[in-house]
């Protein structure tokens, strides 16, 4: 189903109708921050939407939507490119609904963000850009820990495009298949913890970005385990949005 809403308090249930008109979505309060998940996992949408709601607090409404088609994980450049038009389509639907105060694109490669900024009359934030800018603020040396080796090139390109390559200490990767790790939350956290440790001890990073929206819960678990800031990209994007709303 195209653009299925994530379940949870504060969101709009998919398919809900107004008592005055079939097919008209229910509205509650101010327009929502719409989190667009560029992969097709509705469970991931729900998880990331929950993190966004906790970060933005009770005064903000957050509605999660899942793209209509594509892979369940974005693990290579081809998947990122394929996701971009689906993200733009989901963003357009959110804008047309009238229930959209801002768009948050929840994949680390920020697919579709540039296109949405060109057409949207509301703020558009990508979690990758937001996390990299937060990590590098004030000249801080930062590293990235993630699970997707095939995205090393696009990640390096994003760092360069933001003008923070001189602060980037490098990318550290988990071991094993990203799909298998995502199915084992405990193993995912421990594998990412080792990658974060390598960023800090071997590379000299003073902050470490967890590179991936679907890694949101793992990022939450890792933050208290290190003395350097561990940047969770969904939280970073929400903090960026809060300055724009």
């Amino acid at each position: 189903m195209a653009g299925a809403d994530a379940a949870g308090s504060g969101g709009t249930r998919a398919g809900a109708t107004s008592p005055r008109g079939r097919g008209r979505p229910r509205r509650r309060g101010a327009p929502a921050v719409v989190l667009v998940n560029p992969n097709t996992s509705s469970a991931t949408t729900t998880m990331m939407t929950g993190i966004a709601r906790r970060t933005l607090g009770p005064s903000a409404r957050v509605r999660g939507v899942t793209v209509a088609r594509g892979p369940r994980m974005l693990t290579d450049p081809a998947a990122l490119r394929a996701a971009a038009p689906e993200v733009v389509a989901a963003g357009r639907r959110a804008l047309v609904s009238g229930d959209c105060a801002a768009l948050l694109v929840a994949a680390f490669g920020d697919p579709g963000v540039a296109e949405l900024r060109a057409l949207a009359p509301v703020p558009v934030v990508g979690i990758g850009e937001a996390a990299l800018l937060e990590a590098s603020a004030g000249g801080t040396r930062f590293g990235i820990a993630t699970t997707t080796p095939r995205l090393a090139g696009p990640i390096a390109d994003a760092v360069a495009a933001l003008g923070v390559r001189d602060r980037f200490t490098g990318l550290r990767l988990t071991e094993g298949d990203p799909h298998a790790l995502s199915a084992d939350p405990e193993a995912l956290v421990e594998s990412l913890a080792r990658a974060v440790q390598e960023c800090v001890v071997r590379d000299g990073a003073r902050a470490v970005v967890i590179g991936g929206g679907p890694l949101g819960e793992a990022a939450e678990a890792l933050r208290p385990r290190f003395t350097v800031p561990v940047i969770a990209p969904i939280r970073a994007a929400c903090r960026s949005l809060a300055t724009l709303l």
Side-chain angles (χ1 to χ4, degrees), residues 130-143:
L132 295 177
L133 290 176
E134 182 173 301
S136 62
T140 302
R141 288 170 53 79
F142 72 97

Side-chain angles (χ1 to χ4, degrees), residues 33-55:
V33 171
V34 177
L35 180 149
V36 180
N37 176 14
N39 70 50
T40 55
S41 169
S42 58
T44 299
T45 305
T46 299
M47 177 270 290
M48 296 192 296
T49 303
I51 293 172
R53 286 190 181 124
R54 293 193 297 273
T55 305

Side-chain angles (χ1 to χ4, degrees), residues 151-235:
L151 291 177
I155 289 171
D157 291 344
V159 169
L162 290 172
V164 296
R165 185 163 51 188
D166 60 326
R167 306 167 212 175
F168 183 40
T169 62
L171 180 71
R172 291 288 178 173
L173 296 160
T174 56
E175 296 181 0
D177 176 66
H179 294 86
L181 271 180
S182 69
D184 187 340
E186 184 175 338
L188 175 61
V189 169
E190 294 308 316
S191 190
L192 279 169
R194 289 190 289 273
V196 171
Q197 185 74 3
E198 289 178 345
C199 286
V200 174
V201 174
R202 296 190 177 185
D203 303 332
R206 305 310 304 157
V208 180
V209 175
I210 302 300
L215 307 180
E217 287 184 335
E220 298 287 294
L222 289 168
R223 287 191 307 125
R225 292 176 57 168
F226 292 89
T227 56
V228 304
V230 174
I231 309 298
I234 297 169
R235 284 182 173 271

Side-chain angles (χ1 to χ4, degrees), residues 105-110 125-134 158 162 209 233 237:
V105 177
F108 197 65
D110 295 340
V125 172
I127 66 169
E129 179 185 77
L132 295 177
L133 290 176
E134 182 173 301
L162 290 172
V209 175

